Structure formats: C-alpha cells, structure tokens
Amino acid sequence: MRWPTREMWNIIEVESNAGTHKMITKLLKVSFVIVAVGFLFAPYGLAMPNDDDFSVLSRLGYFAPAPLELELSSDGKTLYNAGFPVVYVAHPDSSHEPVRIPAPFYLLTAPESATATFSITYVPNGGTDLWGEPCYTFPSEGQTPFNAAASIWGNIIQSAVPITIRACWADLGSSSILGYSGGGPLRRDFSSAPRPLTWYSGSLTNALAGSDLDPSYFDMHITYNLNFSWYYGTDGLTPAGQYDLMSVVLHEIAHGLNFSGSMSYSAGSGSWGYGTGYPNIYDTFMRDGSGNQLIDTGVYPNPSTAIGTALTSNNIWFHGSNAMAANGGVRVKMYAPSTWAGGSSYSHLDYTTFNDTENELMVYAFSSGESVHDPGPVTEGLLKDLGWHKKVDFDFDGDRKSDILWQYATDGTVAIWLMNGVAIASGGSPGVVSDPNWEIKGVGDFDGDRKSDILWQYATDGSVAIWLMNGVAIASGGSPGVVSDLDWEIMN
C-alpha cells in the first residue's frame, strides 16, 4: 500500500468560473496525518475497504489504487480518506458504435450565469495523487476540456462554496482504466444536514452548509491515465481511436458530487457505512428487486452474505423520486454484475439499460470516438435526490433552452414564448388569471420532469398554487396549502 507523503508541492491552480480561467501560482503545503490504527480506529470500530474490492479489476488487467486508511475526527462526525476510488473503464469492444451527445445550449451559457464554481489544482510533475501514484505535468491543452466540463456542472448545480478538485496526470500502467476519483472528506450531522446520522460528500456538505467546513482538504481527487490517446477538443467531434477527455472529466466530477456510496464487498460478504454504522446518503436510496432497502438491517444484516448476494444480483435499483421522474416514473437500475467489480459495481448506472441513451454518461465504461457532454436527466435527478439544488431556468418544454414567461397586467393573461436562441420556436397561453390578487412568485421543476412549472400565491389569504406545465399547456395543477401569516415570504 502506498501512502501520501508530507512534502511541499509547487501547485498551478486554475480557478474555473464557467469558462473564465485565472492562473495563480502558489506554494501549497498539504499535510496528510496518518494516525496509528489501534489508537484512532478501535473506539469507533472503523472497517477498512477490502483489497478484494479491487481484485476483479486486477484480474481483468485493470489498475485501481489501494484503499486508504480511514481517519475519523475526534467528534466522530468527519471521515477522511473514505471516498472509495471509483474507476471509469475504457470499453473493450473497439467495434462498438460511438455516440455523440452534445451539451445542451443552456449549459454553455455565459460565466456570470453559473450557479457553482470550481477551483482545480493540477498536481505538477514529481507530485503524487492521494493514493501515492506519481503525477506528471498535466498537459496545458488538457486543462481546456477539464474547465469546460466543470463549467457544465457549474450551470447545473448550485453551491455558494467553490468546489475544489485536485487533478493528477499519471501513468497507471493500464490500457483499461481511463481514470478514477475519490478520497474527499465525508461529514454527517452538520447544522444543515437534510438527514441525520448520514454521511455526505465534502462538496455536497459545503453546498448545503453554505460554507467550507473542511478548507484544508480537497472535495475530490481525480487521476487520469496518460496512456490513452486523448482528444482535447470541446466540440464533441472525437476522432476514431481517441478518448474525449471532456466526457471523462464530466463523469469523474459526478462521482465527486456524491454519485457513489459506502458498499463494500469481500469473499461473498457485503457491508456498508465504512464501519461506522452510518450510511452514505447515496446508500439510502438503494433497494433490491423486491423494494427492500439495502441498509434495512432487518432484511440485510450489516455485514452479511445477504448484502453480498444483493450486490452481485444484477437487481439493484435507485428509488429517488427525482431520478425516477426523469426515468419515466420507474425506478433506476444500477450496475450490479454477478461478479463484483470494485470501483465499478454499485457506483454506476446499469450499462445494458442506459448505454447509448441520453443517460449514458454515468455507465461504467466509455468508448473511443464517443463524446457525452450532457449528464442526462436521470443523473441530474439522482443528484437532486441526494440533496443538490439545481439551477432553475424558465424552460417550459424541457429542451434545455430558456423560455420567456409573460403576464398581461390589465386582464391577467399568461403567455409563454418557447425559445430557440433568439427565435420564438412556438408560443401560446396556458390561461387567464383575472384576479390580480394571484401573483406569480417564481418557477421551479416541482414534478422532476425537467420542465419549469409556475408557482402562484394569493396576496390576501396566502393560498399557494402550482401549475405543472408541459410546454405552454397546464398538465395539472393544485394547491399544496395556505400560509395565512403573510410575514412568511416565498424565497425563490
């Protein structure tokens, strides 16, 4: 097992604000404190990730980093080195027909429209990644697609706290692993945590808390394999035989946003919670084919062979309401092959179901010649279920292009222009609200169908109403309730 060393690294840091790049050279001292296992872990019974988790990948000629020692804070609420490395695999079938999925128009908007920013630190030649893998100079031309991928995420999620990434360019000695990510801190029971006794990734924790709770630690560590022929363009026109770096970065950042959980597997037995007894928020949505939660210890003792069997059953499903709404109202199948593949199993969408679809980005393997610059509705819905707040656009028809909402002041007629750039693709009126006491308070995607809906409130008695929209038509509507105390104001 290779360990990070205490050393001084000269770092080139690139801050990406949806396409605006600022180069800052500085000296950064990164200290990794390794505490004796008997002293630190015995009181909490922390379980180490098993090398068996990575044995299948090794037998297939894959490379995956050795798991790190888990490090728990004195109050038991912060866990370091716990984000298991998740790998992205090059598709072994060169005859596979590549797909090209461009980024939607609204994801490539001006920097000032971004709702999250990324601070990317490129490890210089001679440094190492978190797992001790030597890093080489990150190619300058590779930083362009990296920042473009960060820009796409910056126009999807919301965070007032810059999301920090430490990126390494390494010789992984593998022709199968495109890259891997993990290693960020996890927190539970912070002041704004939506669910108690549950671990959240550092990036999601900070977004929910509104401040950086671990400023000395990166939110995610991502390593890329220099042994591939990489395409550094951002136009999606990846030549045959090359791998689109922008797509791979987009994929690995998603894992750093908490698209992974705590399940571990060894010799037929499965477990969760990193040995702490607390699940990752990702784990809480996972169910078997019968609808049983994998973290329900009444059905699946932790640890147990029952969990191990479920993890290799090809029958695991994500049951978040937003992900399901984006999946046609049905549960989302996850990757759970009959042979556990550490770094791939459980942390990806099912390959057979989602490959070659608009949701392809988060399957476990990626083909040369492809480009996928859109996370896809299921992945966006899944992240929303985990707790990420999404950027809200006036997009009433779900084409990822902002539309224009109007209301006539005299008679209350509501109208919508469905836009295509500067042109009106179509338009219409969903109805007339003649009572001026009804006021439009904002828009939001209340049913998770990726189409903006209209939020109303009655000025005198506080009644709230929602129009669920499908283009310019009202699909359905209703009132969630009345807030008669008008000191309560809707924050949109």
Side-chain angles (χ1 to χ4, degrees):
M1 183 178 295
R2 290 167 297 192
W3 296 98
T5 59
R6 299 169 182 260
E7 58 183 312
M8 301 294 288
W9 287 321
N10 288 314
I11 300 294
I12 301 296
E13 182 180 87
V14 177
E15 295 185 356
S16 173
N17 185 356
T20 300
H21 314 305
K22 180 180 180 182
M23 301 296 294
I24 304 174
T25 304
K26 68 178 181 180
L27 191 65
L28 176 66
K29 181 177 182 180
V30 181
S31 298
F32 296 96
V33 182
I34 308 301
V35 183
V37 173
F39 173 75
L40 180 60
F41 301 110
Y44 303 102
L46 291 183
M48 288 298 297
N50 293 290
D51 287 327
D52 288 358
D53 286 343
F54 305 95
S55 62
V56 172
L57 293 174
S58 298
R59 289 199 299 272
L60 294 175
Y62 296 173
F63 170 89
L68 300 171
E69 294 281 0
L70 304 181
E71 184 179 328
L72 191 65
S73 63
S74 58
D75 64 1
K77 294 184 178 181
T78 307
L79 193 56
Y80 300 101
N81 298 336
F84 299 162
V86 183
V87 300
Y88 202 17
V89 178
H91 197 290
D93 183 6
S94 59
S95 64
H96 176 258
E97 186 68 25
V99 300
R100 289 177 176 172
I101 303 175
F105 174 80
Y106 87 89
L107 296 184
L108 299 177
T109 51
E112 58 269 17
S113 70
T115 51
T117 60
F118 288 78
S119 177
I120 305 163
T121 298
Y122 297 99
V123 183
N125 185 55
T128 61
D129 72 5
L130 186 62
W131 295 269
E133 186 66 31
C135 303
Y136 297 85
T137 300
F138 207 104
S140 58
E141 61 267 40
Q143 296 176 20
T144 298
F146 203 124
N147 288 304
S151 297
I152 287 178
W153 281 119
N155 277 281
I156 296 176
I157 60 173
Q158 295 187 40
S159 177
V161 182
I163 298 167
T164 58
I165 302 175
R166 189 167 181 270
C168 172
W169 193 252
D171 180 357
L172 299 183
S174 166
S175 60
S176 301
I177 298 298
L178 296 164
Y180 54 79
S181 66
L186 303 175
R187 275 190 176 257
R188 67 173 178 87
D189 298 303
F190 48 97
S191 60
S192 51
R195 190 178 191 276
L197 305 177
T198 303
W199 296 110
Y200 290 81
S201 70
S203 59
L204 180 51
T205 293
N206 295 337
L208 292 169
S211 62
D212 195 339
L213 301 186
D214 285 290
S216 298
Y217 291 82
F218 291 96
D219 295 323
M220 58 189 84
H221 298 258
I222 307 178
T223 297
Y224 298 93
N225 190 354
L226 60 78
N227 288 309
F228 286 89
S229 176
W230 291 103
Y231 179 61
Y232 298 128
T234 59
D235 55 9
L237 303 178
T238 312
Q242 290 192 311
Y243 289 85
D244 187 62
L245 183 60
M246 183 174 169
S247 301
V248 177
V249 173
L250 200 66
H251 176 103
E252 295 297 356
I253 288 177
H255 287 307
L257 298 177
N258 216 146
F259 197 119
S260 64
S262 70
M263 289 290 174
S264 183
Y265 181 95
S266 179
S269 180
S271 63
W272 53 266
Y274 317 101
T276 67
Y278 305 122
N280 187 295
I281 185 61
Y282 181 89
D283 304 326
T284 65
F285 293 95
M286 293 299 183
R287 298 176 181 264
D288 63 17
S290 299
N292 299 304
Q293 276 191 299
L294 296 188
I295 62 170
D296 182 350
T297 54
V299 179
Y300 293 105
N302 182 34
S304 67
T305 56
I307 296 179
T309 299
L311 291 175
T312 53
S313 66
N314 195 32
N315 197 17
I316 290 179
W317 308 81
F318 188 93
H319 276 248
S321 60
N322 292 288
M324 291 171 65
N327 194 42
V330 299
R331 59 189 182 172
V332 177
K333 190 172 187 182
M334 307 304 290
Y335 186 58
S338 58
T339 300
W340 174 263
S344 291
S345 291
Y346 186 70
S347 296
H348 294 93
L349 299 178
D350 181 64
Y351 185 83
T352 302
T353 304
F354 294 105
N355 190 50
D356 293 335
T357 73
E358 63 179 336
N359 295 298
E360 177 179 342
L361 180 70
M362 294 312 294
V363 300
Y364 83 99
F366 185 68
S367 298
S368 62
E370 287 192 322
S371 61
V372 182
H373 295 174
D374 183 352
V378 168
T379 292
E380 290 186 30
L382 185 150
L383 293 178
K384 188 174 180 180
D385 287 321
L386 299 182
W388 282 102
H389 295 295
K390 289 177 58 180
K391 179 179 179 179
V392 177
D393 282 282
F394 285 71
D395 179 11
F396 292 99
D397 56 355
D399 66 351
R400 305 284 191 89
K401 301 175 184 178
S402 294
D403 305 312
I404 301 175
L405 175 66
W406 298 88
Q407 188 174 28
Y408 195 66
T410 303
D411 66 4
T413 299
V414 178
I416 297 171
W417 286 356
L418 301 178
M419 304 301 295
N420 182 15
V422 298
I424 302 170
S426 63
S429 172
V432 178
V433 181
S434 58
D435 187 339
N437 285 308
W438 280 108
E439 300 174 350
I440 294 176
K441 290 294 185 178
V443 299
D445 182 8
F446 295 102
D447 55 356
D449 66 352
R450 302 180 104 191
K451 299 176 183 179
S452 294
D453 308 309
I454 302 176
L455 174 65
W456 298 84
Q457 187 174 31
Y458 200 70
T460 58
D461 69 1
S463 295
V464 178
I466 296 171
W467 286 357
L468 300 178
M469 302 300 296
N470 181 15
V472 299
I474 303 171
S476 63
S479 173
V482 178
V483 182
S484 57
D485 185 345
L486 299 183
D487 285 333
W488 285 103
E489 297 180 356
I490 293 175
M491 307 302 293
N492 187 58

